[in-house]
């Protein structure tokens, strides 16, 4: 219902903007016809109309963008609420069952495991939201050390395999990173960056997962991390937009996957703060995708 009214509002403002521009152009043409012999009013009129047209166009673009942003905020709030509510409801059910029934040790342990998974999910969502607001603030470079990036990626592969119960061949490293791939930064932040890419590759792949991770050093002072998956892929028009805060792709498949639209925003913000960047490549929907992160390398000759 809300989306329909937003779509209507967007259409209304675009139409209004177009009508106002058309009206101004008509007035401008009439002005030129009426004053074509008088240089001063003619030039002044043309300049004034140009300003009015530019103003109307800017105003319309701004309004439409605000409406879209509002829409994204709403769906973000819905997604976060859902991500918080589901594990809380599940935890409550576990506790109620544990309290009301006597159960054997094995069953009880299974319940505890389920509860731990729910708290991990809750913690994951809260950390994602906190991290997204943290990366927007200007960072201090306190706690920055030289981090062994190759080792960090190897450890994160293990964490992701464990978290998503993946077989080694489902998430694998294409090459064994050398010891000397060092980045100056905060290891916690770098781990979040890498884990977000792995989580996405898993989330947006179907049952048959084939995720390939590669670390390269294209130049002596650059590191390139790539994460390739054979999942849903990304339409060309969305390759840049997916890095925006709250942005979630509109395809039906993506909509089935839960998310907040913050993961890639965090990835790119962290990469840029370190003097690097992040981008995505995909041949289109259903064709898989590859995410690249470039980071400056600490290199000693
Ligand atoms: P979230 O996954 O929570 O929606 P992200 O910022 O991590 O937020 O991703 C933004 C959007 O980018 C996703 O909604 C999805 O449409 C798209 N996306 C991210 N990673 C992938 C991937 N590996 N394959 C296909 N689409 C992806």
């Amino acid at each position: 219902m809300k989306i329909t009214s937003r779509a209507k509002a967007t259409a209304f403002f675009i139409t209004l903007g177009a009508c106002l521009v058309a009206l101004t152009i008509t007035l401008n043409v009439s002005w030129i016809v009426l004053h074509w012999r008088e240089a001063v009013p003619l030039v002044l009129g043309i300049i004034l109309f140009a300003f009015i047209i530019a103003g109307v166009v800017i105003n319309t673009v701004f309004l439409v963008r605000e409406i879209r942003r509002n829409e994204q905020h709403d769906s973000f709030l819905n997604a976060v609420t859902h991500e918080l509510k589901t594990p809380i409801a599940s935890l409550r059910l576990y506790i109620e069952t544990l309290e009301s029934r006597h159960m054997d040790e094995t069953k009880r342990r299974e319940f505890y495991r389920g509860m731990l998974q729910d708290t991990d999910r809750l913690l994951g969502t809260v950390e994602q939201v906190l991290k997204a607001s943290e990366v927007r603030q200007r960072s201090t470079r306190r706690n920055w050390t030289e981090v062994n990036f190759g080792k960090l990626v190897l450890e994160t592969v293990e964490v992701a395999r464990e978290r998503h119960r993946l077989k080694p061949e489902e998430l694998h490293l294409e090459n064994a990173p050398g010891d000397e791939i060092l980045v100056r930064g905060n290891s916690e932040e770098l781990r979040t960056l890498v884990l977000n890419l792995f989580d996405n590759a898993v989330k947006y792949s179907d049952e048959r997962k084939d995720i390939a991770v590669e670390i390269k050093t294209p130049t002596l002072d650059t590191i390139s991390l790539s994460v390739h998956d054979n999942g849903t892929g990304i339409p060309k028009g969305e390759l840049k937009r997916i890095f925006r805060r709250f942005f979630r792709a509109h395809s039906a498949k993506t909509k089935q996957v839960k998310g907040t639209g913050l993961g890639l925003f965090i990835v790119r913000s962290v990469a840029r703060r370190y003097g690097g960047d992040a981008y995505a490549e995909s041949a289109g929907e259903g064709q898989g995708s590859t995410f690249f992160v470039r980071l400056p390398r600490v290199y000693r000759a």
Side-chain angles (χ1 to χ4, degrees), residues 68 237-245 247-248 250:
R68 293 232 171 100
E238 291 183 345
L239 282 172
K240 283 209 174 117
R241 289 199 282 160
I242 52 174
F243 289 93
R244 287 190 199 154
R245 203 161 57 114
F247 182 86
R248 304 209 67 222
H250 298 295

Side-chain angles (χ1 to χ4, degrees), residues 2-4 19 37-38 43 61 76 94 113 116 128 131 136 139 151 174 203 253-254 284 295:
K2 253 183 212 162
I3 289 169
T4 328
C19 290
R37 281 169 197 277
E38 305 150 76
V43 173
V61 170
F76 164 74
Y94 278 129
R113 253 199 316 278
L116 272 175
Q128 192 89 319
K131 195 100 232 144
R136 292 190 76 210
S139 79
K151 191 162 160 249
E174 291 282 53
K203 265 186 355 186
K253 274 204 172 149
T254 305
L295 292 169

Side-chain angles (χ1 to χ4, degrees), residues 117 156-167 171:
Q117 276 171 4
T156 316
V157 164
E158 288 303 328
V159 173
R161 278 182 188 155
E162 177 102 351
R163 184 186 276 191
H164 300 285
R165 298 202 173 79
L166 299 173
K167 297 192 198 99
L171 170 62

